[in-house]
Amino acid sequence: GERRRRGRNFASSSSLSMSLSMSMSSSLMSHLLRIRRPGSSKSSRRSGSSRSNSNAPATPAATNHEMGDHAPLSSAEIPMPPVVFHPEYSIPWPERHRFAMWKFQDLADTMLENRLVNSTNDFIQPNLPPDDWILAVHDADYYHNFVKGTLDANLMRRIGFSQRPDHKALVRRTKLEVAGSVAAARLAMLHGLSLHLGGGTHHAHTNWGAGYTCLNDLAIAARCMQREGLASRVMIVDCDVHQGDGTAEIFQNDPTVFTFSMHCGENFPFGFNVKSLSYLGHDRSDMDIALPMGCDDAEYMAQLTTELPKAIQKFNPELILYIGGVDVWEGDALGKLNISESGIFERDRFVVDLAMSKRIPVACVIGGGYDQNRRRLAHRHSLVHRAALDVWNQYKTKTS
């Protein structure tokens, strides 16, 4: 049966303002955590952008109802950034399915076994999110039909979950994962860095899902942060091997969210010319870096270290949501790149360190990874968290 983990609860029904008004302890790295608030920059629009702002939400002072709540963290020094996880991310699933639904629990177990967290009490558990969070991003008909199980069969096949054994369990874990990314975004704004043992469902579009993703967690998290007045300009840095096409479509006319996608240009969602898949491959991020098949560590890092700092400097984000997908790995079943595990760690460490060096809060999610070897897949998904912890400890040492 499914193992249930105890952890701190991240509720969604009362006030977050108490947590945001807590005094910051020295372990929160005060030089980093002078977090920029909306309107703190001279420019709130990306230079040279011709996008309209019609889809961007207003950012009034957040109310308790809008903001939700989490149980206040201890004001004492915290030795590590907050880690978000729910045991129901992994649900009973067909053993032969390409999507490794079990990897979330495997990752949590790996974090515990390797003492990347001390105990299950270190996991912050999200509660189910209110519908209005999701409806700020997704079409109402699509969302409600997905929840009720009445979504057109072709749209379920497009997602890749036609063989789901328990639709209600799939809906629940999908919504919990969304709430987990919202929690991670809030916690990053509070502490400068947070980790989510899930997330990165970047193929979900406004009114359809694809590539094993039903709802776009980081798009929803970005909108929640804007609606709550916590961040007006959000950057989504997507280093999954597949382009973040759903995220690109959702924010295509929105200058307040910058979409950065570094992916294999000869992989999903590109190259599908058959009529039944003609909907794929047309979305464009604010910055797309299409890597050639077989790209290695050196070429990958040369692109990343050149292009990401330029994008950050241009957009000046107040929050970064980072997808550290491990399907870039050289042996990944759906990858087509030639990136080593040490290369993945180097990539993740660079992104987190770049954000923290610029005092930009960053929330890390795991993204894609496809491997029948469960232990090795869980290990690779832990790399983004190992890298983030390494950077956290570096800055903690500098400020202690």
Side-chain angles (χ1 to χ4, degrees):
E2 181 183 353
R3 286 172 289 182
R4 297 187 62 85
R5 298 289 188 187
R6 294 180 59 197
R8 284 178 287 177
N9 182 262
F10 198 106
S12 59
S13 58
S14 48
S15 169
L16 179 66
S17 57
M18 285 197 315
S19 296
L20 290 173
S21 64
M22 291 191 312
S23 61
M24 297 293 181
S25 65
S26 61
S27 72
L28 301 185
M29 302 168 289
S30 58
H31 81 290
L32 161 68
L33 295 174
R34 291 193 288 270
I35 294 173
R36 292 172 290 176
R37 298 299 180 189
S40 63
S41 170
K42 292 181 180 179
S43 173
S44 62
R45 296 181 64 89
R46 63 188 69 158
S47 63
S49 174
S50 60
R51 285 178 163 184
S52 71
N53 198 21
S54 59
N55 290 344
T59 54
T63 66
N64 291 348
H65 174 71
E66 290 171 329
M67 297 181 76
D69 171 62
H70 70 77
L73 298 174
S74 170
S75 61
E77 292 189 359
I78 59 174
M80 60 180 292
V83 181
V84 179
F85 170 70
H86 199 290
E88 291 181 59
Y89 289 172
S90 290
I91 60 174
W93 201 244
E95 289 185 8
R96 295 183 180 273
H97 201 286
R98 178 63 66 86
F99 184 77
M101 188 67 77
W102 44 84
K103 71 180 184 178
F104 308 101
Q105 185 63 63
D106 289 351
L107 174 56
D109 291 341
T110 294
M111 297 281 285
L112 289 161
E113 290 165 6
N114 290 275
R115 302 197 64 79
L116 300 174
V117 292
N118 294 319
S119 75
T120 57
N121 289 326
D122 289 326
F123 294 138
I124 298 171
Q125 290 189 10
N127 282 347
L128 288 170
D131 288 344
D132 67 293
W133 290 5
I134 298 164
L135 293 174
V137 166
H138 287 287
D139 174 78
D141 287 342
Y142 167 71
Y143 171 61
H144 290 306
N145 281 317
F146 166 67
V147 170
K148 292 185 293 185
T150 56
L151 195 64
D152 181 83
N154 289 327
L155 291 180
M156 282 307 302
R157 278 194 294 272
R158 187 181 291 191
I159 293 170
F161 289 159
S162 293
Q163 298 178 354
R164 61 203 184 279
D166 185 336
H167 183 76
K168 288 184 178 179
L170 175 65
V171 169
R172 179 174 171 83
R173 64 88 42 213
T174 299
K175 294 171 70 173
L176 284 170
E177 189 175 27
V178 165
S181 288
V182 174
R186 287 201 186 110
L187 290 163
M189 294 304 297
L190 183 60
H191 297 293
L193 176 64
S194 67
L195 312 175
H196 184 201
L197 308 190
T201 53
H202 59 170
H203 296 307
H205 288 60
T206 302
N207 59 2
W208 52 275
Y212 311 130
T213 68
C214 310
L215 303 174
N216 196 309
D217 66 311
L218 293 192
I220 295 166
R223 277 288 180 254
C224 282
M225 296 307 96
Q226 292 179 326
R227 293 176 69 190
E228 294 169 10
L230 298 180
S232 62
R233 293 186 313 284
V234 181
M235 174 178 277
I236 297 175
V237 176
D238 190 338
C239 287
D240 194 276
V241 80
H242 306 107
Q243 186 214 27
D245 56 335
T247 315
E249 180 264 336
I250 289 167
F251 295 118
Q252 62 184 331
N253 294 315
D254 185 348
T256 70
V257 179
F258 191 99
T259 53
F260 176 101
S261 182
M262 185 162 158
H263 51 267
C264 179
E266 303 170 72
N267 204 333
F268 184 92
F270 304 109
F272 295 89
N273 297 319
V274 296
K275 187 175 182 180
S276 61
L277 299 175
S278 61
Y279 56 88
L280 291 172
H282 304 295
D283 302 300
R284 296 295 177 263
S285 310
D286 291 304
M287 182 176 288
D288 278 312
I289 302 173
L291 301 168
M293 195 181 305
C295 172
D296 63 12
D297 292 3
E299 184 177 1
Y300 190 100
M301 288 305 298
Q303 289 278 351
L304 183 65
T305 57
T306 299
E307 301 300 334
L308 183 57
K310 290 193 296 188
I312 290 175
Q313 182 177 7
K314 177 181 178 181
F315 182 62
N316 193 25
E318 296 166 345
L319 171 66
I320 289 176
L321 304 175
Y322 173 54
I323 304 177
V326 300
D327 41 12
V328 298
W329 177 61
E330 57 198 350
D332 189 89
L334 300 180
K336 299 186 180 181
L337 295 185
N338 196 31
I339 311 302
S340 67
E341 290 188 353
S342 61
I344 293 173
F345 180 88
E346 182 183 5
R347 173 202 69 180
D348 296 339
R349 196 185 190 290
F350 172 78
V351 173
V352 176
D353 185 54
L354 179 62
M356 295 182 76
S357 70
K358 295 181 178 296
R359 304 189 181 103
I360 303 170
V362 56
C364 304
V365 304
I366 67 172
Y370 304 89
D371 190 342
Q372 291 300 310
N373 187 318
R374 292 177 59 166
R375 286 190 66 85
R376 292 306 305 175
L377 180 58
H379 168 74
R380 281 193 292 281
H381 275 307
S382 75
L383 291 174
V384 64
H385 306 306
R386 294 172 191 265
L389 288 167
D390 191 48
V391 176
W392 172 275
N393 289 329
Q394 170 190 313
Y395 279 91
K396 182 181 176 183
T397 299
K398 284 182 179 180
T399 57
S400 60

